[in-house]
Amino acid sequence: MASQNHQLHFLLLPMMSQSHLIPFTEMAKLLAHRGLTVTILITPLNAVRYNKIIDYAKNFNLKIQFLSVPFPCKEAGLPEGCENRDSLPSPDLVPNFFKAGNMLQFPLEKWLQELDVESKPSCIVSDLCLPWTYDLSLRFKIPRIIFHGVSCFTLFCSHSISQSHYKVLESVTSDSESFSVPDIPDKIEFTKAQLPEIRQDLKPLLEKFKEAELSAEGVVVNTFEELEPAYVEGYRKVVKKIWCIGPLSLCSTNGTSSYEHHHESLKWLDSKKQSSVLYVCFGSLCQFLTQQLIELGLGLEASDHPFIWVVREGDCSIELNKWLVEEKFEERVQGRGLVVRGWAPQVLILSHPAIGGFLTHCGWNSTLEGVSAGVPMICWPMFAEQFYNEKLIVQVLRIGVRVGVEVCVNWGDEEKLGVMVKREDIEKAVKKLMDEGDGEGEERRERARQVGKMAKRAVEGGSSYLNMTLLIQHVMELVNKNDAEN
C-alpha cells in the first residue's frame, strides 16, 4: 500500500486558531509518514508560528508544504494582524473572524484552478468551521472529510440534546436546573448554564456546520476508540463514516526542538520526586480576573504540594505581576512552586515522571495530552465544550476530580461573574487528587495510567493506526473510482 500512497495528496484546511491548528499539523505528520503529500492552508503570521513543522518535514524527508494565503483582516472588519483566534481584542469580533475564514475560499479556488491534474489534491480534510469547503469539493470533484477536534462523547451528547423530538431543554425552567442527556450509555446530567452559549448572530453559521458535516464522506476525530467506545459507536450512527485517529498529541514529542527540551520547567522537574508535582495550565483562550488568579495562587500555596503554574501572557497583567512581587509569592513557594510566564512545553512537561496531576480547563487538546501522559486531572472548565469533557473525565473515565465550577464563563463575562473558585476549593481539589495513601486516589491514578497505556497502543499499531490505514484506503478507492468514471 505504501507504494500507492505517494500518489495521494491531502489538502488540510484548518480554522486559524491554536486549538485547531495544533491537531491539524500533527495529522499532517501522520499522513506524511505514510508516504502521502500534504498541503496545509495557512496565513502568513500563523506560518511563522508553525514553521517548525516544515523543518520537521525536511529532517524526515516528508512531503509537507504550506499554502500561505493572506488573511483578509481589513475586508472582514478585523484589526490588522488578527490572523489567529487568540489575537482578537474583543468577543464582539468573533463573527468577523468567521467571516474572514469564509473569505479564504476565493484564494484557495484560484490556487486549485492553476494546478495541473497530477498536482490536484486527492482529498480535502476540512475543519468543521469552514462549511464553504462543501462547494469547493463539488466544484473541483475532490472528496471531502470533516475533522473534529472534540470527543465523540461531546459530539454524541450534543447531538442527543439537539434532536428536536426530545425537546429536553424546553422543559428546563432555569439555568441551574439539571436535566439528563437522553439516549446515551451513561447517566449524564447538565444544566443550561454549563452548555456552550450559542450567540444569536452565529446560529445560522452553526446550521451550516451541521449540513457541511452530514454532506461529507465521513468524519475524522481526534480520539481513540478504546477511550470512549460506546460514544464512538453512538456517533457512528449519525454520520456516514468515522475514523478515530488520535491522540494526535502523541506525534508532538517527535521533532521537538532543543529549546523545548531545555526549558527551565523540565530542569526544575528533574529534582522532584516521581508523581509529586501538579501541572497547572489553562490553554490559550481562557480569560481570568486578576483576583481569580490570586485565589488560584493562594490555593496552590495552601495545598502544600509542589506545582508548576503557567501564566499565559494575556493573564500576566500588571495587577497580577504587582501582587506576585509585593506578596513575594515566588519567594514563599521557592523550591516547591514554579511560576512560568508565557509559553511552556506542555506535552514534554506532562510526560515527565515527576508530574502526578494536571489542573486543566478541559480543552480537548489538553485533555488528550493529560490522558496520553496517564495523569489524573483536576477539572476547571470555562466555556465551549469544556463541561462535556469534565463529565467524560470525572464520570465516565473516572480519572479526575471537579474543582466545582458550575457555569460557563464566556469571554467578556468575567467581571459580571466575578471570582468563581475560592482558594479553599482549589486547595481541597489539589489535596484530593495528589494525596498519597488514599484508596480512591490510588485507584484514580491507576485508571489514568491504564488509559495512558491504551492511548499509546492505539497509535503504535493499534486502533488509531488501523483507522488511519482505512482512511487512506477509502480515499484511494474514491480516487480510483473517479478515475474510472472519467
Side-chain angles (χ1 to χ4, degrees):
M1 185 180 144
S3 60
Q4 288 182 307
N5 286 354
H6 75 276
Q7 301 164 27
L8 292 181
H9 175 192
F10 273 52
L11 174 60
L12 307 189
L13 305 178
M15 187 172 91
M16 299 299 141
S17 176
Q18 293 294 85
S19 59
H20 296 241
L21 283 160
I22 289 168
F24 263 91
T25 52
E26 302 301 350
M27 179 168 42
K29 292 180 192 175
L30 280 184
L31 290 164
H33 275 296
R34 297 292 190 100
L36 280 66
T37 298
V38 183
T39 300
I40 309 171
L41 178 72
I42 202 152
T43 64
L45 291 180
N46 286 305
V48 172
R49 288 194 191 192
Y50 287 90
N51 59 11
K52 67 181 180 181
I53 192 178
I54 301 300
D55 298 333
Y56 176 91
K58 285 175 185 167
N59 288 342
F60 289 91
N61 200 23
L62 303 176
K63 295 175 183 173
I64 301 175
Q65 61 189 14
F66 280 160
L67 169 60
S68 183
V69 299
F71 198 63
C73 295
K74 187 178 176 184
E75 296 87 335
L78 292 170
E80 205 56 49
C82 285
E83 296 185 16
N84 193 295
R85 173 80 170 72
D86 66 8
S87 60
L88 294 181
S90 161
D92 297 333
L93 291 173
V94 171
N96 304 61
F97 186 75
F98 279 115
K99 182 181 175 184
N102 287 335
M103 292 166 77
L104 295 175
Q105 178 177 354
F106 309 112
L108 188 57
E109 282 185 353
K110 186 172 184 293
W111 178 74
L112 286 167
Q113 282 166 346
E114 292 170 357
L115 287 180
D116 54 41
V117 177
E118 288 74 28
S119 305
K120 179 182 158 186
S122 323
C123 175
I124 291 169
V125 181
S126 165
D127 202 295
L128 178 73
C129 300
L130 304 176
W132 49 265
T133 56
Y134 171 66
D135 301 324
L136 199 75
S137 70
L138 279 183
R139 182 175 174 189
F140 292 93
K141 295 184 172 60
I142 306 171
R144 181 180 59 102
I145 290 161
I146 291 292
F147 174 78
H148 278 299
V150 297
S151 65
C152 284
F153 177 85
T154 293
L155 292 167
F156 193 43
C157 285
S158 55
H159 172 77
S160 296
I161 292 168
S162 68
Q163 287 300 284
S164 57
H165 57 273
Y166 288 123
K167 300 192 187 311
V168 286
L169 292 178
E170 288 180 16
S171 60
V172 178
T173 55
S174 73
D175 283 356
S176 58
E177 182 187 342
S178 60
F179 65 91
S180 291
V181 182
D183 281 3
I184 62 167
D186 298 282
K187 181 169 173 54
I188 301 293
E189 293 185 344
F190 285 99
T191 64
K192 270 188 183 178
Q194 294 170 335
L195 297 181
E197 182 189 41
I198 301 172
R199 291 170 46 154
Q200 283 299 126
D201 54 353
L202 292 177
K203 279 185 178 177
L205 193 60
L206 294 176
E207 288 299 318
K208 285 184 182 175
F209 291 174
K210 198 68 196 168
E211 288 166 19
E213 178 194 39
L214 295 176
S215 62
E217 280 292 324
V219 298
V220 171
V221 188
N222 185 16
T223 188
F224 58 105
E225 294 188 4
E226 294 85 351
L227 183 71
E228 42 175 352
Y231 295 93
V232 174
E233 282 310 305
Y235 207 64
R236 204 184 293 280
K237 295 166 189 162
V238 178
V239 292
K240 288 179 191 170
K241 283 184 180 293
I242 187 168
W243 298 276
C244 299
I245 61 167
L248 291 168
S249 57
L250 285 174
C251 297
S252 293
T253 47
N254 293 325
T256 48
S257 66
S258 60
Y259 166 71
E260 290 170 315
H261 281 282
H262 289 97
H263 192 271
E264 59 169 332
S265 58
L266 297 169
K267 288 182 244 176
W268 186 84
L269 283 169
D270 287 341
S271 66
K272 301 297 174 230
K273 287 184 193 169
Q274 187 170 339
S275 304
S276 66
V277 180
L278 179 73
Y279 174 64
V280 183
C281 185
F282 291 90
S284 62
L285 290 178
C286 293
Q287 306 279 338
F288 280 101
L289 294 175
T290 303
Q291 194 55 47
Q292 180 63 84
L293 288 167
I294 290 170
E295 287 291 311
L296 171 57
L298 292 171
L300 292 172
E301 182 181 18
S303 75
D304 231 18
H305 280 278
F307 64 88
I308 291 180
W309 176 18
V310 179
V311 181
R312 74 185 193 98
E313 285 170 12
D315 286 334
C316 202
S317 59
I318 295 165
E319 294 89 351
L320 179 65
N321 262 329
K322 189 178 170 192
W323 179 81
L324 288 170
V325 171
E326 287 179 356
E327 295 297 317
K328 298 185 174 155
F329 178 80
E330 287 166 281
E331 290 173 37
R332 294 204 311 254
V333 298
Q334 192 169 17
R336 180 167 69 81
L338 178 68
V339 179
V340 177
R341 291 167 178 80
W343 176 87
Q346 179 157 297
V347 172
L348 290 176
I349 290 172
L350 284 170
S351 58
H352 194 286
I355 294 294
F358 181 16
L359 172 49
T360 173
H361 65 303
C362 302
W364 186 238
N365 288 338
S366 289
T367 297
L368 273 184
E369 286 163 10
V371 160
S372 300
V375 296
M377 290 173 257
I378 299 172
C379 299
W380 186 330
M382 302 273 299
F383 57 86
E385 89 293 351
Q386 292 164 12
F387 278 92
Y388 286 99
N389 296 336
E390 180 190 58
K391 301 284 184 187
L392 177 65
I393 293 164
V394 176
Q395 290 181 238
V396 180
L397 300 172
R398 296 185 298 134
I399 59 170
V401 300
R402 302 181 69 237
V403 81
V405 187
E406 297 295 352
V407 301
C408 278
V409 183
N410 293 302
W411 187 16
D413 290 345
E414 297 85 9
E415 291 283 350
K416 184 171 70 180
L417 292 166
V419 173
M420 303 289 292
V421 185
K422 301 289 188 187
R423 68 191 78 172
E424 296 83 10
D425 300 321
I426 295 159
E427 177 189 356
K428 184 179 172 186
V430 174
K431 286 181 172 176
K432 185 174 181 180
L433 193 85
M434 300 293 289
D435 274 350
E436 304 275 336
D438 173 2
E440 183 190 341
E442 187 47 52
E443 286 171 17
R444 190 185 300 114
R445 280 189 286 276
E446 181 55 30
R447 279 193 294 273
R449 282 193 286 268
Q450 292 307 319
V451 171
K453 288 175 184 174
M454 285 196 299
K456 290 176 179 69
R457 283 198 297 267
V459 297
E460 293 169 2
S463 62
S464 292
Y465 184 88
L466 175 61
N467 280 328
M468 182 61 90
T469 303
L470 293 172
L471 169 64
I472 293 167
Q473 284 176 347
H474 182 72
V475 173
M476 183 63 81
E477 285 164 14
L478 291 173
V479 169
N480 291 339
K481 184 183 172 188
N482 197 27
D483 288 347
E485 287 173 355
N486 292 331

